[in-house]
């Protein structure tokens, strides 16, 4: 059994408690305009170009059989012409061209994680599955989670919540200690506009999992990305807070926009025009974070910032 992975990051202090290894899966059913990991959207391997290190010697242009590379193209590589043969990667002298994503087996993933087990044990950390959307590969991550638990390693899943709940309860839940669950936009039409699909499945899955989390072994922690004029509007924050209050949820995490993802779009040859407003290219302002914290506090909900 194999699944597409675009990165395994070690010694992370940001993706859950303690020191963690994070496995990023490739592929997602949603298409959020502000996705912080745009290389996780597409399930197939993609060409990644880092402009900053390119020495412009043109080796890739000569090598490409499809004439898909030119200094005259707006994004250097014409993705319509590119067939992902990756011949150009082999000739690039500065490693500016890379392949994003590779198909891995459970054993391969485990072998990269096990050397870090001592760090997990001494720090209260573990392994985080992220993406993309890891639940696209239910049976694969079920096996991976079981092997991690068998090795005595704590597990955390970051999810958009867009999955088949019955399969999730059978394959994933028994082997997951913590779930970070994204609640982005409450209005179904706006959710569809900005994330590609409406939120009915996401909200109903969350409600059911929250009820189970009250009596079962796992923790369910909701999170909301703060994206200027999209997720952070007064109306959306109030709707999210009301939803939590109706479930007696008293704590949430907010993820202020970090514009680093805009650089990643460039590496994939994607224009950021679909999302740009005056502020989305900036670090999210601290003052606005406090306004939104106060809004949640007004509903009796404490806020952490991630
Ligand atoms: S991956 Fe192949 S087709 Fe695409 S730009 Fe490189 S050499 Fe050309
Ligand atoms: S081969 Fe590499 S360094 Fe040379 S032009 Fe292409 S991307 Fe840039």
């Amino acid at each position: 059994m194999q699944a597409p992975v675009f990165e395994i990051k070690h010694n992370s202090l940001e993706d859950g408690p303690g020191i963690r290894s994070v496995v990023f899966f490739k592929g997602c059913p949603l298409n959020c305009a502000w996705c912080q990991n745009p290389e996780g959207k597409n399930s197939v391997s993609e060409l990644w170009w880092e402009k900053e290190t390119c020495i412009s010697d043109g080796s890739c242009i000569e090598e490409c059989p499809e004439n898909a590379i030119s200094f005259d193209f707006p994004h250097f590589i014409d993705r319509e012409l590119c067939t992902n043969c990756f011949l150009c990667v082999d000739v690039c002298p500065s490693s500016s061209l890379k392949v994003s994503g590779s198909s891995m087996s459970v054993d391969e993933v485990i072998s990269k994680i096990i050397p870090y087990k001592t760090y997990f044990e001494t720090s209260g950390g573990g392994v985080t599955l992220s993406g993309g959307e890891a639940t696209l590969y239910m049976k694969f991550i079920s096996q991976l989670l079981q092997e991690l638990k068998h090795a005595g390693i704590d597990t955390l899943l970051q999810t958009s919540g867009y999955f088949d709940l019955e399969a999730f309860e059978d394959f994933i839940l028994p082997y997951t200690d913590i779930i970070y669950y994204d609640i982005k936009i409450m209005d179904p039409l706006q959710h569809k506009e900005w994330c590609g699909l409406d939120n009915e499945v996401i909200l109903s899955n969350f409600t059911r999992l929250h009820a189970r989390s009250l009596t079962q072994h796992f923790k369910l922690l909701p999170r909301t990305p703060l994206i200027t004029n999209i997720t952070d509007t007064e109306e959306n924050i109030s709707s999210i807070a009301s939803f939590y209050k109706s479930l007696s949820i008293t704590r949430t995490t907010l993820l202020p926009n970090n514009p680093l993802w805009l650089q990643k779009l460039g590496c994939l040859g994607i224009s950021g025009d679909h999302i740009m407003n005056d502020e989305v290219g900036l670090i999210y302002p601290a003052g606005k974070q406090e306004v939104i914290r106060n809004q949640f506090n007004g509903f009796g909900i404490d806020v952490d910032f991630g």
Side-chain angles (χ1 to χ4, degrees):
M1 204 180 335
Q2 303 250 319
V5 170
F6 70 82
E7 185 181 2
I8 300 180
K9 180 170 80 175
H10 298 294
N11 299 325
S12 169
L13 295 170
E14 296 167 355
D15 298 280
I19 299 172
R20 310 195 72 83
S21 290
V22 189
V23 185
F24 292 93
F25 289 88
K26 220 163 149 32
C28 186
L30 300 186
N31 185 19
C32 301
W34 60 81
C35 181
Q36 306 283 303
N37 293 321
E39 69 272 52
K41 285 187 175 184
N42 196 332
S43 61
V44 300
S45 296
E46 295 167 278
L47 191 56
W48 179 271
W49 177 56
E50 288 168 6
K51 186 178 182 178
E52 295 70 25
T53 57
C54 173
I55 60 169
S56 306
D57 71 322
S59 303
C60 54
I61 296 172
E62 276 179 38
E63 187 71 12
C64 177
E66 309 296 336
N67 296 320
I69 312 179
S70 165
F71 293 120
D72 297 330
F73 292 156
H75 299 287
F76 189 52
I77 298 154
D78 185 329
R79 302 282 169 160
E80 297 284 319
L81 296 175
C82 174
T83 57
N84 285 339
C85 71
F86 303 129
L87 290 171
C88 54
V89 174
D90 296 336
V91 299
C92 176
S94 59
S95 301
S96 306
L97 288 163
K98 297 186 173 74
V99 182
S100 173
S102 64
S103 192
M104 296 183 77
S105 68
V106 171
D107 286 349
E108 282 174 291
V109 175
I110 290 284
S111 71
K112 291 190 184 300
I113 286 170
I114 289 296
Y116 294 83
K117 191 179 166 195
T118 310
Y119 297 110
F120 311 150
E121 287 168 350
T122 53
S123 69
V127 171
T128 297
L129 305 187
S130 187
E133 176 56 48
T135 62
L136 278 182
Y137 313 102
M138 285 274 186
K139 291 189 178 169
F140 181 96
I141 68 167
S142 180
Q143 196 180 328
L144 177 57
L145 289 166
Q146 286 180 63
E147 293 201 18
L148 290 169
K149 294 309 297 176
H150 188 67
I153 295 172
D154 284 356
T155 56
L156 186 155
L157 173 72
Q158 295 180 342
T159 181
S160 69
Y162 197 90
F163 48 68
D164 178 279
L165 185 61
E166 239 174 77
F168 185 88
E169 289 177 326
D170 286 347
F171 290 111
I172 311 287
L173 205 47
Y175 319 108
T176 305
D177 299 308
I178 304 174
I179 302 170
Y180 283 180
Y181 196 111
D182 287 358
I183 301 288
K184 299 173 178 114
I185 298 175
M186 289 302 285
D187 180 87
L189 291 178
Q190 282 187 30
H191 196 281
K192 188 165 185 179
E193 178 186 345
W194 288 108
C195 300
L197 294 167
D198 76 34
N199 56 3
E200 188 184 344
V201 169
I202 294 167
L203 297 181
S204 83
N205 285 351
F206 182 83
T207 304
R208 168 89 174 260
L209 287 173
H210 170 66
R212 289 192 64 165
S213 72
L214 300 176
T215 57
Q216 297 190 3
H217 69 280
F218 68 97
K219 283 188 198 159
L220 178 69
L221 303 171
R223 311 189 307 168
T224 298
L226 293 182
I227 310 298
T228 301
N229 297 334
I230 301 174
T231 66
D232 73 344
T233 62
E234 192 174 347
E235 186 188 5
N236 189 48
I237 297 297
S238 289
S239 299
I240 292 172
S242 298
F243 175 58
Y244 294 163
K245 192 172 181 187
S246 74
L247 299 173
S248 303
I249 288 171
T250 56
R251 187 156 215 105
T252 190
T253 298
L254 302 177
L255 306 168
N257 176 58
N258 182 331
L260 277 178
W261 61 275
L262 288 165
Q263 286 177 16
K264 291 185 170 188
L265 284 185
C267 295
L268 293 166
I270 301 168
S271 139
D273 295 347
H274 64 293
I275 177 82
M276 287 307 289
N277 59 46
D278 287 347
E279 295 174 70
V280 83
L282 306 173
I283 298 273
Y284 199 85
K288 282 179 84 176
Q289 294 182 32
E290 286 313 304
V291 169
I292 292 169
R293 182 206 291 273
N294 289 337
Q295 220 182 325
F296 273 104
N297 290 167
F299 285 80
I301 297 164
D302 288 331
V303 165
D304 298 309
F305 287 98

